[in-house]
Amino acid sequence: MSSPSPESIAGYLSAMRPFWHPVLRSVDLTDRPIHVVLLTESIVLSRLDGEVSALTNVCRHLGAALTLGDIVDGRVLRCRYHGWQYDRTGRCVDIPLRGEEKIPAQARVRRYHAQERYGLIWLCLADEPQGDLPPYPEFEDPEFHRNELVQHAEWRASVPRLVMAALDDTHFSWVHPDVLGLAGQPRLPQRLGDRPVVVSEAGVLTSRYRTSMPESPMVAESRADRGPLRTVDVEFTNVATVNSMKNVIYSDAGVSVTWNVYQPVSHDRTISFTQLSRTYDQDPAHDGLWEEFNLGIKEQDRAIVESQQPWLLPPLKAQMILYLRPEDIPLVEFQKLMERLDVPQI
Ligand code: FES
Ligand SMILES: [Fe+2]
């Protein structure tokens, strides 16, 4: 596959910098420094003084990777090469060979904005963060039973491609036959409301529709009279932002939520974090089944998404994607949102 031009890639990476991006599950940051890559920047994460510190992974002395170092007394990050110690703001606070001599003011490494929320560590690489974290009210809602947050293997695709894969609502019977759609019976979902796709000032896109889908194996299992595959009527509310996609499904059984957030490792590499939650079938012993079901769907999508050309979306006006209306309206609206946020396309 031909790569976008270096200018396109640089434009995309720089446009994504002001947003908050997920990079690690909170539980995975303990007493060791951890290496993450965000928008091609190599970053070392540590817990220092009880807070997340995100520093550029290059020691200011001779440039060794700080991820090779150690956390000392839960307070500073020490470089493995000559023992320089950095506090959580990236300031060097000790150079062992210097003893009491003054530490040069330039002895500091770049620090990035970091915060913890929804069980994840989020970073922003720009000086001024833009926008909020994706909305996730179900995280605090006691009605929902939540599975553990899962980090998935990296996909060879850009973040917008992953968001759009989860936003697309006309591929179910093709890619997920008898899982999300009915095999051999493609159907147009019935869009809901006067404006079925709404995009807020804050950059949150909401798409609502009604459709029929196969009953999930988790629900089918709980029924005594198990028979051939049943069809159920459901309503979807999909909520997308620049780097997240939440599918909320309302059925007679209750509400289930698939919350996906995406880490843009580079223009063509993405790591997803997913949390499943639901208001029914709340037995934690069933969590594995739900996880397996979701992973199966993701793997079906993966083959398609990694095949899509080009890596970065072509601009709408180039008409390189032949969108159909009304079928593809949610995708068109998402692309418009990306263009409004100045995330450049190839
Ligand atoms: S390279 Fe880090 S202390 Fe020398
Ligand atoms: Fe899909």
Side-chain angles (χ1 to χ4, degrees), residues 172-218:
F172 295 161
S173 55
W174 301 106
V175 181
H176 314 293
D178 293 343
V179 179
L180 293 181
L182 300 168
Q185 298 176 50
R187 57 179 64 187
L188 189 61
Q190 182 194 344
R191 309 225 176 268
L192 296 173
D194 298 339
R195 294 173 57 218
V197 181
V198 178
V199 184
S200 76
E201 259 318 289
V204 179
L205 179 152
T206 306
S207 161
R208 295 177 54 230
Y209 59 91
R210 182 176 296 145
T211 191
S212 328
M213 63 193 295
E215 187 175 50
S216 79
M218 292 77 76

Side-chain angles (χ1 to χ4, degrees), residues 116-299:
E116 283 187 277
R117 189 132 176 239
Y118 307 141
L120 285 164
I121 294 167
W122 302 78
L123 303 184
C124 170
L125 301 185
D127 293 339
E128 287 297 327
Q130 180 181 327
D132 297 321
L133 302 187
Y136 187 21
E138 296 83 358
F139 184 76
E140 269 113 26
D141 188 335
E143 294 287 305
F144 284 85
H145 166 75
R146 289 187 306 278
N147 273 23
E148 252 180 51
L149 188 62
V150 174
Q151 174 171 346
H152 296 284
E154 191 176 86
W155 284 21
R156 186 93 206 271
S158 68
V159 164
R161 289 284 191 195
L162 268 82
V163 175
M164 290 169 82
L167 188 59
D168 181 281
D169 50 35
T170 59
H171 71 280
F172 295 161
S173 55
W174 301 106
V175 181
H176 314 293
D178 293 343
V179 179
L180 293 181
L182 300 168
Q185 298 176 50
R187 57 179 64 187
L188 189 61
Q190 182 194 344
R191 309 225 176 268
L192 296 173
D194 298 339
R195 294 173 57 218
V197 181
V198 178
V199 184
S200 76
E201 259 318 289
V204 179
L205 179 152
T206 306
S207 161
R208 295 177 54 230
Y209 59 91
R210 182 176 296 145
T211 191
S212 328
M213 63 193 295
E215 187 175 50
S216 79
M218 292 77 76
V219 174
E221 204 142 290
S222 64
R223 261 193 300 109
D225 58 330
R226 299 192 53 192
L229 193 69
R230 285 195 190 186
T231 306
V232 290
D233 293 325
V234 294
E235 280 186 21
F236 272 74
T237 297
N238 289 338
V239 182
T241 68
V242 68
N243 60 0
S244 77
M245 176 67 210
K246 183 176 72 172
N247 304 98
V248 185
I249 306 180
Y250 301 86
S251 66
D252 285 344
V255 188
S256 75
V257 175
T258 305
W259 186 69
N260 295 298
V261 291
Y262 305 109
Q263 171 186 354
V265 175
S266 63
H267 75 283
D268 62 352
R269 307 269 176 186
T270 297
I271 293 173
S272 318
F273 299 88
T274 304
Q275 186 162 49
L276 307 176
S277 54
R278 54 197 183 270
T279 60
Y280 57 100
D281 188 25
Q282 302 210 335
D283 183 350
H286 294 180
D287 288 0
L289 277 178
W290 282 81
E291 223 41 76
E292 219 176 284
F293 183 72
N294 185 253
L295 198 59
I297 293 167
K298 279 200 160 45
E299 280 308 308

Side-chain angles (χ1 to χ4, degrees), residues 59 61-64 79 81-84:
C59 180
H61 183 212
L62 300 190
C79 180
Y81 206 177
H82 312 90
W84 287 28

